[in-house]
Amino acid sequence: MPNFPEHIEKLQPYVPGLAINALAAQLGVDPSSIVKVASNENPLGTSKLALEALQKATQEFALYPDNDSLELTEALAKYHNVPREWIVVGSGSEAVLSMAAGALLTRGKKAVYSQYSFQAFAGAAQRVGASHAVVPSPDFRVNLDGLLASIDADTTLVYIANPGNPTGTFLSNEELEAFLSNVPPSVVVLLDEAYVEYLPVELRSPAIRWIHQFPNLMVTRTFSKAYGLAGLRVGYGIAQPEIADMLRRVRPPFSVTRLAQIAAAAALADTQFLAKTAECNAAGLAYLYTALNELKLEFVESFANFVLVKVGDGNALSQRLTQRGVIVRPLKSYGLNEWIRISVGSQSENETVVNALRQEINA
Ligand SMILES: *Cc1c(COP(=O)(O)O)cnc(C)c1O
């Protein structure tokens, strides 16, 4: 028998949501009739600039990609007005979160994050055998004082997603800045801004100013959500060179594909697509709120592209919605048995979701 380390034996495989094709086959319907609002993907598809760049790219794949994603890194450095050395590209921002764990955690070290945080935080810490402190969050908002209080001599990394997933809640810049001022400089704070593009401009963090001010801060962004590139796997972190360099050292070689690099560099300039995405999302959220109020379902106000809804038995309702061709995300794995998460879709998708919900709630 192979002798696996204890922390590896305790890992659970990642269980993604039901795939569209699998459900379509099961129900005997066309895949185009399935509505998947389970993974916070962009209902408008992919940035057109990214698609055009992909079409123009040489269809030649014999060579390895650029290990350092140089062109994308340069585009990002220019976009954020920071030196190239501050940028770490990864195969999704999830990979960057994992690199932070690889660089900062090991057995005996500790990661700190909030209850109802993005599951990848726990996974990244567990895979490297580190311990973790989960700070209670009864109101679904990250308890920053609680995070501070649980930082001890073993703590090397704090994970915060803002807005949070699956909660959709938001911490103000004032709250976060006060928190950053109080974190010991030896502890790295990874601020995951996967949904920043959905925030009104005035709420967005002064991320780059903070990184200048707090050398222990890393901010991560992704192309998976607002840019519509989840299928290509590309995201990045921004931090001062000391942290960025260490993360690059633990990044698996050639992990960001050439097509991902090309698409991301092109998508970055697609301000029109981002604006349309944010507009569609705001309208969709407003529509969902009205419908949820009518259905007398409790929900948490969201600053992202999904909404947390209290439905009783979340697993059972998700399964029943599935039978109606609607895939939502049950949240039992987050300890939120009574809640489901619904991603904002296109207007017609939102209507399908609401109709299915109405039929199930009134059934
Ligand atoms: C979706 C999401 C991401 C994005 O992950 P990728 O690996 O970039 O696709 C990161 N953080 C949070 C909190 C998310 O919800």
Side-chain angles (χ1 to χ4, degrees):
M1 278 294 282
N3 197 355
F4 295 108
E6 200 184 323
H7 70 276
I8 299 297
E9 287 198 316
K10 277 199 229 150
L11 293 175
Q12 296 297 320
Y14 183 73
V15 185
L18 196 56
I20 290 176
N21 284 339
L23 180 59
Q26 192 188 314
L27 299 179
V29 300
D30 194 84
S32 65
S33 72
I34 302 292
V35 171
K36 178 171 179 257
V37 283
S39 302
N40 306 341
E41 292 143 334
N42 195 327
L44 301 182
T46 298
S47 148
K48 296 292 165 288
L49 293 188
L51 290 177
E52 281 166 23
L54 288 170
Q55 265 147 19
K56 276 195 219 125
T58 57
Q59 300 299 304
E60 168 56 70
F61 300 104
L63 301 186
Y64 284 100
D66 176 354
N67 187 54
D68 294 311
S69 304
L70 198 61
E71 278 174 35
L72 173 57
T73 301
E74 267 172 4
L76 289 167
K78 204 163 153 198
Y79 180 81
H80 289 292
N81 193 22
V82 296
R84 253 190 279 160
E85 294 68 33
W86 289 32
I87 306 284
V88 185
V89 178
S91 51
S93 57
E94 199 278 330
V96 183
L97 309 178
S98 293
M99 286 183 235
L104 288 153
L105 296 171
T106 185
R107 190 190 293 269
K109 298 294 181 193
K110 190 163 107 180
V112 171
Y113 49 86
S114 177
Q115 186 184 24
Y116 312 132
S117 277
F118 190 37
Q119 249 167 358
F121 300 163
Q126 285 162 359
R127 282 196 297 273
V128 294
S131 62
H132 52 269
V134 184
V135 176
S137 164
D139 62 355
F140 297 126
R141 292 187 87 241
V142 174
N143 173 357
L144 292 172
D145 291 334
L147 292 182
L148 277 180
S150 63
I151 291 174
D152 63 15
D154 296 329
T155 307
T156 53
L157 181 58
V158 179
Y159 284 118
I160 299 173
N162 196 43
N165 173 20
T167 60
T169 59
F170 175 71
L171 302 165
S172 73
N173 292 332
E174 292 70 28
E175 290 172 282
L176 270 174
E177 190 161 334
F179 169 81
L180 290 167
S181 306
N182 285 312
V183 174
S186 60
V187 176
V188 171
V189 177
L190 191 148
L191 179 62
D192 174 345
E193 296 193 329
Y195 299 99
V196 69
E197 296 88 357
Y198 295 94
L199 290 172
V201 174
E202 66 276 13
L203 293 186
R204 295 181 194 175
S205 79
I208 304 306
R209 174 167 71 70
W210 281 352
I211 295 166
H212 279 280
Q213 196 176 342
F214 304 106
N216 57 332
L217 175 65
M218 168 167 263
V219 174
T220 60
R221 301 274 177 93
T222 182
F223 288 95
S224 297
K225 306 285 159 60
Y227 294 94
L229 287 169
L232 280 182
R233 313 302 304 123
V234 52
Y236 61 101
I238 319 168
Q240 289 200 25
E242 204 183 8
I243 297 177
D245 172 54
M246 212 51 88
L247 261 71
R248 270 184 229 112
R249 296 192 207 185
V250 299
R251 178 178 56 198
F254 305 120
S255 53
V256 184
T257 68
R258 185 168 69 86
L259 292 182
Q261 294 177 30
I262 289 169
L268 196 58
D270 202 341
T271 47
Q272 239 179 334
F273 184 70
L274 285 186
K276 239 172 101 182
T277 293
E279 196 182 311
C280 163
N281 190 64
L285 267 182
Y287 172 82
L288 288 175
Y289 290 170
T290 305
L292 293 169
N293 279 327
E294 272 169 25
L295 293 170
K296 301 200 171 25
L297 290 173
E298 186 184 338
F299 59 90
V300 179
E301 191 195 351
S302 173
F303 289 80
N305 66 343
F306 53 84
V307 59
L308 192 59
V309 187
K310 192 171 188 184
V311 294
D313 185 337
N315 259 359
L317 180 68
S318 299
Q319 264 170 22
R320 295 204 307 271
L321 290 173
T322 297
Q323 294 313 303
R324 297 183 181 277
V326 171
I327 309 175
V328 300
R329 181 77 155 90
L331 295 171
K332 195 168 177 209
S333 60
Y334 283 88
L336 292 166
N337 297 11
E338 296 188 83
W339 300 76
I340 59 170
R341 190 189 65 199
I342 302 175
S343 308
V344 178
S346 64
Q347 182 54 26
S348 84
E349 287 174 327
N350 297 335
E351 286 168 14
T352 304
V353 172
V354 166
N355 284 335
L357 263 180
R358 186 174 289 126
Q359 284 171 315
E360 285 301 334
I361 299 299
N362 295 332

